[in-house]
Amino acid sequence: MYSTSKKRFEKAKLVIPSGVTSPVRYFEPYPFFVKKADGCHMWDTRSRKLVDMCNGYGALLLGHRRREIMRAVIKQMKRGTIYCAPTAQETELACMISENFPSIDTVRFVNTGGEATMTAIRLARGYTKRDKILKFQGCYHGAHDAVLVEAGSGAAHYGIPTSDGIPEQSTTNTLVSEYNDYGGVEQLVRDNPDSIACAIIEPVMANMGLILPQDDFLQRLRKITRQHGILLIFDEVVTGFRVSSGGAQSHYNVRPDITTLGKALGNGFGIAAVGGDRKVMDLLAPGGPVYQASTFAGNPVATSAAIASMKVMGRLKEKMYTRLERLCTGLARIVGDIATDYGIPHRINSIASMMQIFFTDAGEVRDHRGALKADAARFQIMFKKLLEEGVFIAPSQFEVAFLSNAHEDHDIDMVAAAYDKGIKAVRDAR
Ligand SMILES: Cc1ncc(COP(=O)(O)O)c(C=O)c1O
């Protein structure tokens, strides 16, 4: 069916390791190659139309090629693409972010979520003068050394608990606790007095399938970190603008010290941000001793895309979030009913415009351990069938299905029908 993609993949493998530019883009036997995208659709190299439920792993909250963003980017490109000197747009965007996120006084722009979390951790270490960091099993914060320990996303998919090529010294200061296990956090804090700089967490875990915080876990984490002088970093690279316009921190009413944003911030353009309390952020160079820099950071094209995205999100606001939540909850319910009807044990977690099904009979999925009990082989069967039916979800149990504002009811009806076929294929494979 995808013979053109097969040929392109063979060629790619000669010059690109494993033929892909990021690990989860690969799936067996070879990924499809994309020609173009628009709204909630992508077209492969043979012009086959797919409903996109991957949405740039969450980046495309507003869908592909949102009109206002395209207009802003084209206008900016006519004025130049990179200056490496300040622009008024950077300040405008920082103000907009700060208005949406009351915990953020000032913002430093970077290019990727990974750069944002790396900077956030360095800032926390610089501020507290402590070395250790606390992360949570299954949370993914980018592909840099300190956090590539028991990470989710591709690292979980390929069973790489800690990547080769990372010196032991880079991870000995990384403490790992189970998500939603407050007792575990207490223990680690007790065992490491006055030496933990920060706790970094995805407030909603979206890299181990989808896992929601439970039993006031985030509130209690906030309390214990404050009591012990540990900075709390919310990695909202996925959840920022997606769970609500003020991210998961607004939804759960927890105020972190530092926040990282990415993905939906630029709605498809490479821009991310680290922001937080002024007294912490002021440590960044050149005013302070914590170094961070990048040639492309705050480039005017990505910045104008982010301003346009934020203007659209600001205009659509609650109407968009309410509509997306209705579509997503409805889809999750239908998918759950389908699995029940086919007699397939499962759990579904969903929030806002994100959902994931786990093929498991082990009950609720509330942590990394629970997610690992899910039958990833069944997920692959479902994924392939969905693709055959014209629906593209991320090709891993340890990712999430994302809706975008470009999806209409009839698109989600089509997605639900494809899930029906996908889960039937799971049943037939028994
Ligand atoms: C929660 C979270 N943080 C950080 C990152 C890293 O972002 P990037 O891929 O832009 O470096 C990701 C990427 O998926 C993510 O999901």
Side-chain angles (χ1 to χ4, degrees):
M1 187 191 334
Y2 290 108
S3 56
T4 319
S5 291
K6 184 168 189 253
K7 273 191 215 128
R8 290 187 185 201
F9 185 60
E10 292 306 326
K11 196 169 168 191
K13 276 197 296 185
L14 299 176
V15 283
I16 296 173
S18 303
V20 288
T21 305
S22 196
V24 281
R25 292 181 199 173
Y26 174 75
F27 54 83
E28 301 258 327
Y30 49 86
F32 66 91
F33 276 50
V34 181
K35 187 154 85 180
K36 62 173 189 175
D38 191 33
C40 70
H41 293 108
M42 296 206 291
W43 284 261
D44 72 8
T45 40
R46 297 188 62 200
S47 300
R48 187 166 174 262
K49 189 175 172 185
L50 300 163
V51 178
D52 188 3
M53 291 290 289
C54 177
N55 276 303
Y57 288 87
L60 295 161
L61 179 62
L62 300 172
H64 295 275
R65 297 183 69 242
R66 176 84 195 190
R67 198 176 57 246
E68 296 90 333
I69 302 171
M70 289 302 104
R71 228 182 273 136
V73 164
I74 290 163
K75 189 170 161 199
Q76 177 54 47
M77 289 208 300
K78 289 181 183 162
R79 295 178 181 154
T81 55
I82 184 163
Y83 308 139
C84 286
T87 62
Q89 287 116 300
E90 290 164 85
T91 311
E92 184 183 355
L93 182 58
C95 288
M96 292 168 112
I97 290 174
S98 186
E99 271 164 33
N100 278 35
F101 289 78
S103 71
I104 297 181
D105 297 327
T106 64
V107 186
R108 176 65 59 90
F109 294 111
V110 291
N111 305 285
T112 66
E115 259 184 272
T117 58
M118 186 177 71
T119 306
I121 291 169
R122 189 176 298 154
L123 263 172
R125 284 174 161 159
Y127 181 78
T128 58
K129 306 271 189 265
R130 299 172 178 177
D131 289 339
K132 292 183 181 163
I133 66 168
L134 169 58
K135 83 171 282 284
F136 293 84
Q137 271 184 324
C139 281
Y140 179 71
H141 303 295
H144 53 99
D145 290 4
V147 288
L148 214 46
V149 181
E150 301 196 44
S153 188
H157 185 72
Y158 293 110
I160 304 172
T162 303
S163 166
D164 273 10
I166 297 181
E168 213 181 305
Q169 304 90 291
S170 301
T171 55
T172 44
N173 283 317
T174 304
L175 310 171
V176 185
S177 179
E178 189 65 92
Y179 193 81
N180 273 327
D181 173 15
Y182 182 71
V185 173
E186 258 185 330
Q187 184 70 47
L188 281 173
V189 171
R190 216 178 301 127
D191 292 347
N192 295 275
D194 301 328
S195 54
I196 304 177
C198 62
I200 180 165
I201 190 165
E202 290 181 71
V204 169
M205 210 205 294
N207 282 288
M208 205 64 213
L210 185 69
I211 298 178
L212 307 183
Q214 294 182 357
D215 308 326
D216 291 337
F217 180 63
L218 296 176
Q219 286 79 0
R220 296 173 88 193
L221 183 62
R222 175 65 284 186
K223 194 160 168 217
I224 194 171
T225 47
R226 194 171 276 136
Q227 278 166 351
H228 291 268
I230 298 166
L231 296 190
L232 180 60
I233 302 172
F234 270 9
D235 179 356
E236 297 233 37
V237 165
V238 170
T239 53
F241 309 106
R242 193 165 266 284
V243 167
S244 82
S245 55
Q249 57 194 266
S250 156
H251 183 83
Y252 291 103
N253 195 22
V254 176
R255 188 183 173 105
D257 301 296
I258 305 177
T259 299
T260 55
L261 299 167
K263 304 221 184 210
L265 174 62
N267 197 75
F269 285 80
I271 183 165
V274 50
D277 196 308
R278 184 180 302 277
K279 63 181 184 305
V280 178
M281 295 298 295
D282 277 353
L283 293 186
L284 280 178
V290 175
Y291 199 70
Q292 175 279 331
S294 162
T295 303
F296 290 101
N299 74 74
V301 176
T303 306
S304 58
I307 292 172
S309 302
M310 288 207 60
K311 282 185 181 160
V312 175
M313 291 189 281
R315 208 177 61 240
L316 300 176
K317 248 198 162 130
E318 287 322 310
K319 218 170 114 201
M320 171 175 77
Y321 290 105
T322 310
R323 192 183 80 85
L324 283 176
E325 177 134 32
R326 173 181 64 75
L327 286 178
C328 189
T329 312
L331 178 64
R333 199 176 40 242
I334 293 170
V335 172
D337 288 348
I338 291 167
T340 303
D341 289 349
Y342 285 121
I344 305 292
H346 65 280
R347 285 312 277 210
I348 296 188
N349 289 342
S350 83
I351 185 171
S353 50
M354 310 185 260
M355 62 159 270
Q356 186 56 296
I357 183 167
F358 298 90
F359 293 114
T360 176
D361 55 7
E364 239 183 313
V365 181
R366 45 173 286 143
D367 53 28
H368 169 262
R369 226 177 351 209
L372 285 177
K373 287 184 187 148
D375 189 332
R378 284 190 155 181
F379 189 90
Q380 284 308 309
I381 293 170
M382 183 189 76
F383 161 74
K384 279 184 189 146
K385 192 68 191 171
L386 278 166
L387 198 53
E388 253 178 68
E389 294 298 313
V391 172
F392 176 51
I393 59 170
S396 167
Q397 172 70 83
F398 304 122
E399 301 290 345
V400 167
F402 291 99
L403 277 76
S404 85
N405 198 49
H407 286 112
E408 298 293 345
D409 286 58
H410 61 266
D411 300 307
I412 298 304
D413 290 345
M414 192 215 154
V415 171
Y419 268 101
D420 190 317
K421 297 262 172 47
I423 297 171
K424 182 170 180 290
V426 169
R427 185 204 60 184
D428 294 345
R430 272 203 291 215

